[in-house]
Amino acid sequence: MKRAPAVILPAIAVERASARPLHRQIYEGYRDAIVARQLRAGQRLPSTRHLAAELRISRIPVLNAFEQLLAEGYFESRAGSGTFVARAVPDELAVPRSGGRPRQPPSRSAPRLVARYAASLRTDTGPWFQGQAAFGVGQPPIDAFPLEIWSRLVARIARLGDRSLLRYGKAMGYEPLREQVAEYLRTARGVRCEASQIMIVGGSQAGIELAARVLVDDGSSVWLEEPGYFGIQNALRLVGARMIPVPVDEEGLAVSAGIERAPRARAAFVTPSHQFPMGVTMSASRRLRLLDWAQSTGAWIVEDDYDSEYRFGSSPITSLQGLDRDSRVIYIGTFTKILFPAMRIAYVVIPPDLVPAFMAVRRVTDMFSPPFVQAVLTDFIREGHFARHVRRMRLLCAERRETLVAALARERSLRLGVLGDAAGMFLTASLPPGTPDREIGLTAAREGLKVLPLSSCALETPAKRGVVLGYGGSTNAEIVDGAARLGAILRRMVPRTRSRSR
Ligand SMILES: Cc1ncc(COP(=O)(O)O)c(C=O)c1O
């Protein structure tokens, strides 16, 4: 016998002691739920037998109520498949039930935090973040992710039936994964850490937000790279920071400019391995200068090391955290760029004295990351799949980067300056001052390309113009085709008279 699919029962309560008959209560419960659009057209309804059993009443009042609802057009029955909310709305529903003048909606002034957040969504609203297309920034080569290995590990862990993975997890994360991450960071990134300092979080964005909540009070000054990562800008806006844009040059954050603007800032949020969006690596002398400033003033540094696995040619540069002798750096890294973004697993390396504060804030947000995924990832690392994947991704991204650099070079007439191609999954093509890069981004989006305008990454009046081009998530063919199409757009839209600047 074919079984009807199980249906979620709507929250219709009946009071047996009420003077209103039961069938009337059920009828009104359903009618009100449909009028209030809690139940939508076409939605399947439970069988009368099932509903009666659930409400612990006899089936008769349920049958009577259903009959009336069918007769009035709220329900419709389909032969052989059951009863559904009607697709056509009865006339009565189109008329406001109170009659008379329509009520004024109550005022909905947004609470302070919501208003602040809405204001922060400045850059995210651009088409460059919607959907999948060539040059999308922050997209890794998921076409090369070993899904078969991952599925095998998922199945194995599910079969093992360890029900502790289904319980509430720990705020700091799944211990075996924290051990693996600590070992990896000490070895590959020169991070000075113990597993006890590692907190597993839902993506580096979650780590950035957590750090902002722990470190920054309403109104405290914070240095940000200018231009910089909108995710950092948004998180700091949300906690009410006074944002101090500090320019970035070819050596990274201009520390002396920061000291000039806000010597007593509470924190600096930086991307030293591969600055977003300029792509530069912070020089050793700037790193020492920044650490020196933090140590002498008691400021914190948040190091967002989001894509350092992708480093080509030059020897891997160790983390800023690894140079820190005073535990002033909060280090954030992620698996979302090297494995796949939907994984939402990243890690924060927390100075030991700040661990309780991070845990306290974590408990009021998402509490912990899903233990099951963490267990799968632990085995993925432990069995060597992660190390192999990193090696393959480096080669693949290097190839895609070369394809893009060569394709841009073919657009000789544009004489584009290419920045930041020594690492990561994106590069920046600089354009002459005053170029309408935002319009270029919008035009490119209409033509099926995701081109992030450099000016949309600035907090102040944008000094630099250009386009940020991701290549990690695009195939060689998409890159070649995309570069030719972008070249055509740039030839149309970049002013010709100005000299090209690097
Ligand atoms: C500079 C920077 N930091 C952080 C992130 C966020 O990464 P996640 O997916 O781990 O939240 C991105 C994503 O593109 C990024 O570009």
Side-chain angles (χ1 to χ4, degrees), residues 3 83 106 112 128 190 215 233 244 307 395 435 462 486:
R3 268 170 120 210
T83 310
R112 201 167 51 105
W128 25 89
L215 304 175
Q233 298 165 357
I244 312 291
D307 71 355
L395 291 174
T435 299
L486 177 63

Side-chain angles (χ1 to χ4, degrees), residues 137-138 203-206 208 229 271 276 304 306 334 336-337 341 344 346:
V137 174
S204 34
Q205 187 58 38
I208 291 166
Y229 179 51
T271 52
F276 189 95
D304 176 12
Y306 60 103
T334 185
T336 69
K337 303 288 172 202
R344 308 318 297 150

